[in-house]
Amino acid sequence: MQFLMLFLWICRRAAPSAEFSVDRHRHLMSFLTMLGPSPDWNVGLSAEDLCTKDCGWVQKVVQDLIPWDAGTDSGVTYESPNKPTVPQEKIRPLTSLDHPQSPFYDPEGGSIKLVARVVIERIARKGEQCNIVPDNIDDIVADLAPEEKEEDDTPETCIYSNWSPWSACSSSTCEKGKRMRQRMLKAQLDLSVPCPDTQDFQPCMGPGCSDEDGSTCMMSDWITWSPCSVSCGMGTRSRERYVKQFPEDGSMCKVPTEETEKCIVNEECSPSSCLVTEWGEWDECSASCGTGMKRRHRMIKMTPADGSMCKAETTEAEKCMMPECPIDCELTEWSQWSECNTSCGKGHMIRTRMIKTEPQFGGTACPETVQRSKCRVRKCLRGPGMEKRRWKEAREKRRSEQAKKNIDSEQYPVCRLKPWTAWTECSTLCGGGIQERYMMVKKRSKSTQFTSCKDKKELRACNVHPC
């Protein structure tokens, strides 16, 4: 049995076809074809049975096809670079939720787009049934009933199929030739009675030499019109059909199998219009995280008829959003060490730094912001009056330093400072914190000899009691 397979790509003009034969031993039809360019995508059919349940042959099969992934490459677009899948995966159908950059992506998870359609149609008969011997006598009688019996000497015990159509004549001229037809022996009910041959021959002549009208061709229906050859103005489109059965006299079919007609797309096209291809797939986002840009391109297929420059854009760009970037913690520099928290004996001093930027989206966590260091002041003196004496010495020292600052201000009047600000709040409630105060420059000399005229800062320990 002969079949014709037509393979129709969605949105493409070409409709490749192929003829093939099947028999009772080989009646499952499979094929596979790759989408190109693509990572490893393909379409096809697997084990399509061309036998019917009653052991006849199907007349026509129409199947829409979706793309499959062969499991050998991990690319996500038609033009993705090679990225072998290790280890290889099983072949599987693509879905509309595989990857946001996939040409088949649908955020709502709808059905995936169809990419092709295959049409399989029977075009010739070289055997009626898939099996030779029916199961029982009832099946033999049922098969025999619709057959057209010819006047011959075939014994009743020999059960045959119908004769096939006559083949083409072996002669292509008016010289004598021969043509052949055949039939299938379904069952031999009495082995003692011989059955006639299953082939029959008849003399014939080449096409045009016979007076009989046996040159009729059996044609298929016309296939759908192809898209117009242009996207602007007047072009052409075509459609095809094929021969389902050749003439019985062996002649060639003279009816057309293809026809072409004019077509018009967008009558308002001007001579300055140009023809461009469809947009290609979007490039990958320029950023791996955050906001970036992606681009796609198309090409000029035909320049304007008036010789002008094509004004159509060939590159298109738009923003793309990727997952938020990791943001690491940022800190200020360490402050100066505070004064020792005791006036005599062992104590500690601290320094701090502030957080400028908190970590986000998995960024590096912030390290310590307070450091403590041991300090030792002179040995504490014993006695009830020693503590009072110690505070008095400290007060005198501060007064001496303040007097020196005042003298400096009088000696260099061009460097004037504002009064000390109030102490800031303690950086901690317990365990030792710091307080700060500032003296800002009120008027600074322009002379280079007064380089020491600058803002001042003081630190002191606070809340040194344990938490």
Side-chain angles (χ1 to χ4, degrees):
M1 183 63 59
Q2 286 185 313
F3 284 85
L4 176 72
M5 181 180 72
L6 291 175
F7 194 74
L8 307 174
W9 289 108
I10 304 300
C11 298
R12 285 190 57 184
R13 179 179 182 275
S17 63
E19 293 186 12
F20 62 95
S21 299
V22 294
D23 55 36
R24 67 188 183 92
H25 298 293
R26 297 173 291 274
H27 53 84
L28 299 180
M29 182 267 195
S30 300
F31 80 94
L32 185 74
T33 182
M34 180 179 177
L35 300 178
S38 74
D40 59 350
W41 302 338
N42 53 77
V43 294
L45 283 180
S46 177
E48 182 72 23
D49 197 348
L50 300 180
C51 271
T52 61
K53 293 182 179 179
D54 57 356
C55 295
W57 296 103
V58 298
Q59 181 62 39
K60 189 174 185 178
V61 176
V62 179
Q63 185 72 44
D64 291 327
L65 305 176
I66 64 171
W68 285 64
D69 190 322
T72 60
D73 194 289
S74 300
V76 297
T77 67
Y78 282 115
E79 298 180 351
S80 293
N82 290 334
K83 188 178 180 181
T85 302
V86 180
Q88 292 186 1
E89 300 174 350
K90 292 183 179 180
I91 186 172
R92 65 173 183 85
L94 292 174
T95 71
S96 61
L97 293 175
D98 282 337
H99 195 281
Q101 294 182 2
S102 168
F104 310 107
Y105 181 71
D106 180 2
E108 298 181 358
S111 300
I112 194 167
K113 299 176 183 176
L114 301 176
V115 295
R117 172 177 292 174
V118 64
V119 179
I120 305 169
E121 190 164 3
R122 190 174 69 185
I123 59 174
R125 297 173 61 181
K126 292 184 179 178
E128 178 64 24
Q129 301 234 333
C130 296
N131 62 343
I132 292 182
V133 181
D135 294 334
N136 51 51
I137 296 299
D138 292 337
D139 291 336
I140 296 176
V141 175
D143 290 339
L144 184 63
E147 293 182 353
E148 298 178 1
K149 302 181 182 61
E150 298 182 0
E151 295 294 334
D152 57 20
D153 298 329
T154 301
E156 294 182 356
T157 56
C158 299
I159 308 300
Y160 288 93
S161 68
N162 289 336
W163 285 106
S164 69
W166 288 105
S167 67
C169 189
S170 62
S171 173
S172 59
T173 66
C174 289
E175 297 294 330
K176 288 185 178 181
K178 63 180 180 179
R179 60 180 181 173
M180 181 191 74
R181 64 177 181 174
Q182 58 186 3
R183 60 183 175 177
M184 183 183 298
L185 178 62
K186 292 184 175 181
Q188 188 173 358
L189 303 181
D190 188 351
L191 298 179
S192 63
V193 179
C195 293
D197 294 334
T198 57
Q199 292 182 329
D200 186 20
F201 296 90
Q202 191 179 69
C204 61
M205 290 185 293
C209 299
S210 174
D211 294 333
E212 298 180 3
D213 185 15
S215 59
T216 303
C217 293
M218 184 181 297
M219 305 297 294
S220 70
D221 295 332
W222 287 105
I223 299 173
T224 307
W225 286 103
S226 68
C228 196
S229 60
V230 299
S231 60
C232 176
M234 180 176 290
T236 58
R237 64 176 185 173
S238 63
R239 64 178 181 177
E240 299 175 345
R241 61 180 176 177
Y242 55 90
V243 178
K244 295 178 65 175
Q245 183 171 320
F246 287 92
E248 294 186 358
D249 63 1
S251 62
M252 297 299 294
C253 287
K254 299 179 182 179
V255 294
T257 57
E258 182 177 359
E259 65 179 6
T260 304
E261 69 176 13
K262 294 182 179 180
C263 54
I264 297 178
V265 180
N266 190 5
E267 296 181 357
E268 299 179 359
C269 288
S270 66
S272 61
S273 300
C274 58
L275 183 62
V276 295
T277 63
E278 296 293 329
W279 285 108
E281 298 297 326
W282 286 103
D283 296 337
E284 292 186 1
C285 192
S286 61
S288 58
C289 62
T291 304
M293 296 295 294
K294 62 179 182 180
R295 291 176 172 80
R296 63 177 182 176
H297 310 275
R298 61 181 177 180
M299 301 178 64
I300 298 176
K301 294 173 63 176
M302 185 172 65
T303 56
D306 60 3
S308 61
M309 294 294 292
C310 184
K311 298 179 181 179
E313 296 291 339
T314 56
T315 301
E316 189 175 51
E318 69 176 26
K319 291 183 179 180
C320 50
M321 297 297 297
M322 301 298 285
E324 292 292 343
C325 299
I327 299 177
D328 297 332
C329 176
E330 290 187 17
L331 300 170
T332 62
E333 296 296 327
W334 286 107
S335 67
Q336 296 179 358
W337 287 104
S338 68
E339 295 179 357
C340 196
N341 67 333
T342 184
S343 58
C344 66
K346 295 180 180 180
H348 68 266
M349 53 186 181
I350 63 173
R351 65 174 182 175
T352 61
R353 57 181 174 180
M354 309 299 291
I355 297 175
K356 294 171 60 177
T357 304
E358 294 283 353
Q360 298 183 56
F361 311 114
T364 305
C366 292
E368 61 179 352
T369 56
V370 178
Q371 284 185 344
R372 181 177 300 182
S373 179
K374 293 180 180 180
C375 58
R376 185 181 183 90
V377 190
R378 68 182 185 279
K379 187 176 181 180
C380 294
L381 300 177
R382 297 180 179 178
M386 292 302 174
E387 188 68 20
K388 184 176 180 180
R389 179 180 175 183
R390 179 167 54 82
W391 282 110
K392 183 177 181 181
E393 290 176 354
R395 185 174 65 251
E396 292 297 331
K397 181 180 179 181
R398 288 195 296 271
R399 287 178 178 177
S400 176
E401 291 176 352
Q402 185 63 40
K404 184 178 179 181
K405 292 176 182 178
N406 294 336
I407 294 173
D408 290 341
S409 298
E410 294 176 358
Q411 186 176 0
Y412 306 107
V414 292
C415 183
R416 297 180 181 176
L417 300 174
K418 295 180 180 179
W420 284 103
T421 63
W423 288 103
T424 62
E425 292 185 1
C426 192
S427 60
T428 61
L429 297 177
C430 60
I434 61 169
Q435 288 178 297
E436 300 175 346
R437 69 174 183 174
Y438 303 91
M439 178 180 287
M440 311 301 292
V441 174
K442 185 175 183 181
K443 182 178 182 182
R444 180 181 286 109
S445 172
K446 296 182 180 180
S447 174
T448 57
Q449 62 178 325
F450 301 113
T451 56
S452 62
C453 185
K454 56 185 178 181
D455 297 338
K456 297 182 179 181
K457 175 182 176 181
E458 282 189 350
L459 300 175
R460 72 177 181 184
C462 58
N463 294 339
V464 296
H465 56 279
C467 294

